[in-house]
Amino acid sequence: MGNIRKNKNIDQKLFILITCLIGGGWFLFLYGIDVVDVTNDRWILGANSDITQHYLGWRYYRMSDWHLMFGLLDGITYPHSLSIIYMDVIPLFAVFFKILSPILPETFQYFGLYGFVSFMAQSCLAALLMDKMTGNKSLSILFGYFTLTYPVIYQRMFDHTALAGHWIIFLSIYVWYTKQKYASLKRESIRWGIVMSLAVFLHPYYIPMIVVMMCCSILEEMIDGKWKVGCFSGLFAVMAALFWMYCLGAFYGEAVVTDEGLGVFSLNLNGYYNPQQLGKLFKSWPNQYAEQAEGFAYLGAGWLVALLLTAFILLFVVRKAFTRKRKLALFYMVIMTMLALSPVITWNGVILFRINYPESINKFLSIFRSSGRFGWPVAYMMMTGTFSVLVWFLKRREAVCLVICLIGLQLIDLYPYMKFRAYEVTQRNSESMLLSEVWEEVAEDYQHIVFLTRNGEADDKLVSEYLGINKVFSIMKYAADNGMTLNDGYVSRRDIKAINQTKEQYWTGLLNGDPKEDSIYIFCDVPYDIEVCLHLYYIDELVVGVPKPFKNKLLREI
């Protein structure tokens, strides 16, 4: 017990290099080199999923002028600007590459690069954390790789790519665990300020995960009587996050940031052991809601066996009280699990009970309606604690053999899913749904594309609900290719009020017989009320209206 000696034979720089190479090598083994090719966007445009939206958001951001709020993009909700946060473009990469845009190739995508860097960063940060906890570099290297077998990464990678960058979770755990006993206010402010800022520049869902962890760290400082360090370092980190959110345009306009579905897109109590048909070794269990696929948090066979072994050690072999940090870590896990489960607590296909939060709390939580995602840091905390106990309890050779066996079991269970997801990504290919030659004429004569409903009704529906997501993405890509603007598009969180006001202005103009000469109109159905002032055509199954007839004589007006 506790016979593992610290490995001093591996230099720290070499240790970091090895872990990065393992993470990057595993990524390339699964996905290949094509996705990292920054000039290859076919697999992104062919996805017709969230990543297509994110990439098109980047393309518009790249074309946009710089604003004081440098995270604003133009052209998708013209004439209004839009924050890149609401297009999920991964601001950390988007802002950096926009600065470099003049020297970049015309076609440039960084999403494959982000995945590659994320795998390296997670392997490295997880290994550094375990090395701090155990002092054993060889086992820490194995831990870094072991965390990359968590199936949620592959569920998210290259669909909702920002949410596959779980290295930020390990960075926050590392910052908390390595907090010095006599940490200075300056040091803790900088450390948590950096982590919170990175969360803002990756994805909003990481912010609550890190805020709760930071609060546990602050609570630890307060217990030690260091109120000033705890409170002011936390305040600085929150202020830093708010500052960067302002710069990225998060508070610009009146974007509706809440959404329906709180309690439906949640974590089921079976979440950590339910493979949801994605693992080979364990039985799948039913969920109460189909949307609880959003709360997918399955650990995998290897980690589940490791967890059972650790529970046995803690319950029957080691009867040692939890340290304060372990108690706070457990407290963090309980809080995040409750957030992930609530407000509707479900187990398999049964609703156990509902938590009746006040309306104000429900409204706030609805900002993060996909609450099941908050189970991910809990999973990583379980992995970290489990691994450190096994390393501490076993002799070095026993631990290495056990970990290799556990990794093998994990791969038997989940490698087919990992490979399937990678194959699915690499086989994507873009096919535009705009096939008519007339679109070339449109690009020459018009600058704006205007989406309107048949009778000009202003509602909060996405354009894709009328036309279909594939067609909307094709139109957005066409507009980006030709430097045209849109009055609406597929956007995660929109300023519905401003968008509808613009639609009403366009519709009023048409009712008054005054169409915009530089605009082409796309309707969800034939707009009989204004057919006098527009020439209407069916083009690629779209109802298209233009102020002057097309030159193509083969086209027949409606």
Side-chain angles (χ1 to χ4, degrees):
M1 214 186 301
N3 287 334
I4 293 182
R5 293 185 296 242
K6 294 186 178 183
N7 295 79
K8 299 295 185 181
N9 56 324
I10 301 179
D11 177 75
Q12 188 73 357
K13 291 181 180 178
L14 178 61
F15 174 71
I16 292 173
L17 177 62
I18 290 171
T19 56
C20 288
L21 288 175
I22 289 173
W26 181 242
F27 177 90
L28 294 177
F29 172 75
L30 287 174
Y31 293 97
I33 195 69
D34 283 348
V35 297
V36 186
D37 179 0
V38 296
T39 62
N40 175 17
D41 63 0
R42 295 185 303 277
W43 60 277
I44 298 177
L45 293 170
N48 287 319
S49 66
D50 285 335
I51 193 174
T52 310
Q53 175 210 11
H54 308 161
Y55 174 59
L56 292 170
W58 150 245
R59 289 194 58 185
Y60 269 96
Y61 181 56
R62 183 181 180 183
M63 294 188 296
S64 300
D65 293 330
W66 285 103
H67 297 267
L68 179 62
M69 299 179 192
F70 57 76
L72 293 178
L73 65 84
D74 304 315
I76 293 181
T77 55
Y78 180 85
H80 309 285
S81 297
L82 167 72
S83 172
I84 57 176
I85 289 178
Y86 304 130
M87 289 298 288
D88 291 337
V89 301
I90 313 175
L92 183 66
F93 277 47
V95 174
F96 176 74
F97 286 116
K98 181 175 171 62
I99 295 171
L100 299 181
S101 185
I103 62 173
L104 298 178
E106 182 178 354
T107 298
F108 184 88
Q109 63 84 13
Y110 50 73
F111 294 89
L113 182 62
Y114 175 81
F116 179 68
V117 171
S118 291
F119 269 56
M120 289 196 298
Q122 178 160 330
S123 176
C124 180
L125 286 167
L128 285 170
L129 172 64
M130 190 53 58
D131 184 43
K132 285 289 185 182
M133 297 180 76
T134 66
N136 189 290
K137 285 186 165 56
S138 56
L139 281 165
S140 297
I141 290 170
L142 288 175
F143 175 72
Y145 170 72
F146 203 175
T147 67
L148 288 176
T149 63
Y150 188 40
V152 173
I153 298 171
Y154 305 91
Q155 181 202 36
R156 298 290 169 173
M157 186 62 75
F158 301 137
D159 275 320
H160 214 145
T161 312
L163 291 174
H166 293 177
W167 57 270
I168 185 69
I169 299 174
F170 278 104
L171 178 62
S172 58
I173 299 173
Y174 181 87
V175 167
W176 183 17
Y177 184 81
T178 58
K179 180 173 63 67
Q180 296 176 350
K181 186 175 181 180
Y182 301 104
S184 67
L185 172 60
K186 179 181 178 180
R187 184 175 186 272
E188 288 306 293
S189 296
I190 291 174
R191 278 156 47 93
W192 283 114
I194 289 173
V195 178
M196 285 289 292
S197 298
L198 284 171
V200 171
F201 276 84
L202 291 179
H203 196 280
Y205 270 84
Y206 291 126
I207 297 173
M209 301 179 192
I210 293 170
V211 165
V212 176
M213 191 174 295
M214 183 179 68
C215 287
C216 290
S217 177
I218 292 171
L219 181 58
E220 190 175 13
E221 298 280 11
M222 291 181 172
I223 293 172
D224 286 335
K226 294 183 287 186
W227 288 74
K228 181 179 178 181
V229 173
C231 292
F232 283 97
S233 62
L235 180 61
F236 175 83
V238 170
M239 294 299 293
L242 291 173
F243 171 75
W244 292 121
M245 288 176 71
Y246 171 81
C247 291
L248 291 174
F251 310 119
Y252 177 84
E254 299 180 36
V256 179
V257 296
T258 60
D259 206 346
E260 297 178 353
L262 180 66
V264 175
F265 297 87
S266 60
L267 177 72
N268 195 292
L269 279 170
N270 66 28
Y272 296 113
Y273 64 84
N274 181 9
Q276 297 192 27
Q277 310 297 330
L278 303 182
K280 286 186 65 177
L281 298 182
F282 290 157
K283 173 185 175 182
S284 293
W285 300 85
N287 283 326
Q288 171 64 22
Y289 307 108
E291 293 84 354
Q292 286 184 318
E294 190 68 32
F296 177 65
Y298 177 57
L299 291 169
W303 279 115
L304 286 172
V305 171
L307 196 63
L308 289 174
L309 289 174
T310 301
F312 176 81
I313 292 171
L314 293 177
L315 289 174
F316 299 105
V317 180
V318 180
R319 299 180 180 278
K320 188 176 181 180
F322 281 111
T323 63
R324 183 172 60 202
K325 191 177 288 290
R326 289 171 185 162
K327 291 177 181 178
L328 286 170
L330 184 60
F331 176 69
Y332 172 80
M333 293 166 67
V334 169
I335 295 296
M336 295 309 298
T337 300
M338 289 304 301
L339 288 174
L341 293 170
S342 63
V344 183
I345 311 301
T346 61
W347 181 52
N348 294 339
V350 178
I351 296 176
L352 299 181
F353 59 92
R354 299 176 184 269
I355 302 175
N356 295 316
Y357 292 126
E359 184 59 31
S360 57
I361 293 179
N362 270 328
K363 187 175 181 179
F364 173 77
L365 292 177
S366 293
I367 299 174
F368 307 99
R369 65 162 184 169
S370 298
S371 59
R373 298 170 183 176
F374 295 139
W376 303 343
V378 178
Y380 285 122
M381 293 286 272
M382 286 193 286
M383 292 179 198
T384 303
T386 293
F387 199 92
S388 63
V389 169
L390 293 176
V391 171
W392 173 81
F393 180 72
L394 299 173
K395 294 180 180 179
R396 183 177 182 277
R397 183 174 297 179
E398 293 171 345
V400 170
C401 290
L402 176 62
V403 170
I404 291 174
C405 289
L406 291 172
I407 290 174
L409 184 63
Q410 184 85 347
L411 291 177
I412 291 171
D413 187 27
L414 290 165
Y415 178 73
Y417 171 64
M418 299 175 194
K419 199 63 181 172
F420 165 75
R421 281 289 294 152
Y423 177 81
E424 184 184 45
V425 167
T426 55
Q427 295 305 304
R428 295 168 175 170
N429 200 5
S430 61
E431 293 183 8
S432 176
M433 298 188 73
L434 305 184
L435 304 177
S436 174
E437 295 178 357
V438 78
W439 294 107
E440 296 180 12
E441 184 179 337
V442 169
E444 294 175 0
D445 295 342
Y446 299 99
Q447 299 175 12
H448 309 291
I449 295 177
V450 178
F451 289 110
L452 289 175
T453 54
R454 180 179 61 186
N455 296 316
E457 297 98 337
D459 54 38
D460 59 356
K461 288 184 179 179
L462 289 167
V463 178
S464 57
E465 294 183 48
Y466 291 112
L467 304 179
I469 192 170
N470 293 357
K471 196 159 286 184
V472 171
F473 282 151
S474 291
I475 296 169
M476 291 177 71
K477 177 185 180 298
Y478 166 80
D481 288 342
N482 293 282
M484 303 175 72
T485 69
L486 304 156
N487 70 320
D488 199 0
Y490 192 80
V491 180
S492 299
R493 299 289 187 267
R494 303 178 301 155
D495 187 341
I496 297 170
K497 180 179 178 181
I499 291 172
N500 283 342
Q501 284 177 347
T502 301
K503 287 181 178 179
E504 289 169 0
Q505 290 170 5
Y506 278 117
W507 182 252
T508 300
L510 293 177
L511 288 177
N512 294 331
D514 184 26
K516 300 288 185 181
E517 294 297 323
D518 58 358
S519 301
I520 175 174
Y521 299 81
I522 296 178
F523 301 92
C524 69
D525 205 344
V526 180
Y528 296 106
D529 292 345
I530 50 85
E531 58 183 335
V532 176
C533 70
L534 287 179
H535 299 272
L536 299 174
Y537 302 87
Y538 278 122
I539 304 175
D540 292 328
E541 299 181 356
L542 292 169
V543 179
V544 175
V546 286
K548 56 185 178 181
F550 285 119
K551 300 171 187 175
N552 190 325
K553 302 302 181 183
L554 296 178
L555 285 177
R556 293 288 180 267
E557 293 191 35
I558 298 173

